[in-house]
């Protein structure tokens, strides 16, 4: 896998299904990792349970990296991801500025009124329901890669033009003032919209120039509807497959 910012080829990371702390940097190479494990074994820094050996890794308690629930009164500085679920009232994102390494913010069935606290955070993945439609805080955001937006009022998408790494956008739950702004998002690779939103964009000829995947959101969408949309935006549907299930 290609290393992200501050990474290096050959590095070892911990990630995967059911691994809630990942992805986490482990070592700069497999050689370094094995050397560290051998040193721990030689020092007796391990515990055994039948045939299983558990190494006592130094500094393994780096604080809470992920929170699922609500924003705590005291936000741990090591926090990298937070999922706020079913919050009552409007969520204040201000306390998150205490986590300078925050990468993911997902508000699930929860709303916020102000994205300003995200301006100076390195968030890459954002899912929010926004009361109003002010996206000014995301203008020029250097790290934002994915935005899933719901709104209660028409949003001005203009600030997204200057987000250089925005590759994924889901506006299927948002009201927008002018969808044709999307034509200026040259780096956008994934776009999800509702049926009427796609109709508006296609009728104006303002589809982003380089989509790799598109989604037609809606409970009544058929496979044929999806194929027709993909064809209209210029994607090859010759080998299209319909896949159902879960990962």
């Amino acid at each position: 896998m290609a290393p992200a910012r501050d990474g290096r080829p050959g590095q070892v990371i911990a990630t995967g299904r059911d691994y809630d702390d990942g992805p986490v940097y482990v070592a700069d190479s497999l050689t370094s990792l094995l050397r560290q494990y051998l040193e721990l074994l030689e020092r007796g820094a391990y515990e055994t349970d039948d045939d299983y050996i558990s190494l006592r890794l130094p500094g393994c308690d780096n604080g809470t990296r992920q929170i699922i629930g609500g924003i705590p009164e005291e936000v741990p500085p090591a926090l990298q991801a937070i999922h706020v679920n079913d919050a009552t009232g409007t969520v204040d994102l201000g306390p998150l500025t205490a986590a300078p390494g925050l990468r993911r913010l997902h508000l699930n069935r929860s709303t916020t009124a102000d994205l300003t606290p995200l301006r100076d955070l390195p968030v890459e993945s954002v899912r929010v329901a926004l009361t109003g439609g002010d996206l000014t805080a995301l203008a020029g955001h250097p790290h934002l890669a994915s935005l899933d937006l719901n709104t209660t009022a028409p949003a001005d998408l203009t600030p997204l033009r200057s987000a250089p790494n925005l590759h994924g956008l889901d506006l299927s739950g948002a009201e927008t003032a002018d969808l044709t702004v999307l034509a200026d998002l040259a780096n956008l690779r994934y776009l999800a919209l509702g049926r009427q939103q796609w109709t508006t964009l296609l009728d104006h000829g303002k589809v982003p120039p380089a989509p790799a995947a598109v989604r037609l959101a809606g409970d009544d969408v058929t496979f044929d509807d999806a194929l027709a949309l993909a064809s209209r935006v210029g994607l090859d549907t010759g080998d299209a497959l319909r896949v159902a299930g879960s990962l």
Side-chain angles (χ1 to χ4, degrees), residues 216-233:
L216 176 58
D219 295 334
D220 60 343
V221 172
T222 67
F223 185 53
D224 288 339
D225 292 335
L227 289 179
L229 169 64
S231 180
R232 287 196 67 185
V233 300

Side-chain angles (χ1 to χ4, degrees), residues 26 52-53 59 99 105 108 126 135-137 155 179-181 183 195 201 220 245 247:
V26 176
Y52 184 78
I53 297 177
L105 168 66
N108 304 311
V126 175
L135 299 176
T136 306
L179 273 173
T180 62
V181 171
R195 191 185 299 274
L201 204 61
D220 60 343
L247 294 175

Side-chain angles (χ1 to χ4, degrees), residues 44-233:
Y46 61 88
E47 298 174 356
T48 60
D49 182 6
D50 291 330
D51 294 331
Y52 184 78
I53 297 177
S54 177
L55 297 173
R56 293 197 291 269
L57 298 172
C60 63
D61 184 10
N62 294 320
T64 302
R65 291 192 177 93
Q66 176 169 270
I67 290 176
I68 299 176
I71 299 178
E73 291 184 8
E74 230 180 282
V75 174
L79 185 67
Q80 294 184 17
I82 185 166
H83 301 257
V84 179
N85 300 327
D86 304 298
T88 56
T90 302
V91 177
D92 177 15
L93 302 181
L96 295 178
T97 57
L102 189 70
R103 305 290 184 188
R104 177 183 300 169
L105 168 66
H106 286 185
L107 300 187
N108 304 311
R109 301 168 301 281
S110 307
T111 61
T112 188
D114 184 12
L115 299 179
T116 302
L118 303 186
R119 190 191 305 274
D120 297 319
L121 292 175
V123 287
E124 299 168 350
S125 176
V126 175
R127 178 188 298 154
V128 293
L130 185 62
T131 58
D134 187 5
L135 299 176
T136 306
L138 302 181
H141 198 291
H143 305 296
L144 182 66
S146 173
L147 175 63
D148 185 335
L149 180 68
N150 283 263
T151 64
T152 59
D156 179 7
L157 301 179
T158 304
L160 300 182
R161 284 173 169 168
S162 56
N165 292 306
L166 182 61
H167 301 308
L169 186 59
D170 187 336
L171 298 174
S172 58
E175 293 184 56
T176 54
D178 182 11
L179 273 173
T180 62
V181 171
L182 297 178
D184 298 326
L185 304 185
N187 294 322
L188 201 65
R189 304 292 285 159
Y190 169 76
L191 179 61
L193 299 173
R195 191 185 299 274
Q196 186 55 51
Q197 291 172 315
W198 275 117
T199 298
T200 299
L201 204 61
L202 289 164
D203 287 351
H204 285 83
K206 294 294 184 179
V207 175
V214 295
R215 174 177 171 239
L216 176 58
D219 295 334
D220 60 343
V221 172
T222 67
F223 185 53
D224 288 339
D225 292 335
L227 289 179
L229 169 64
S231 180
R232 287 196 67 185
V233 300

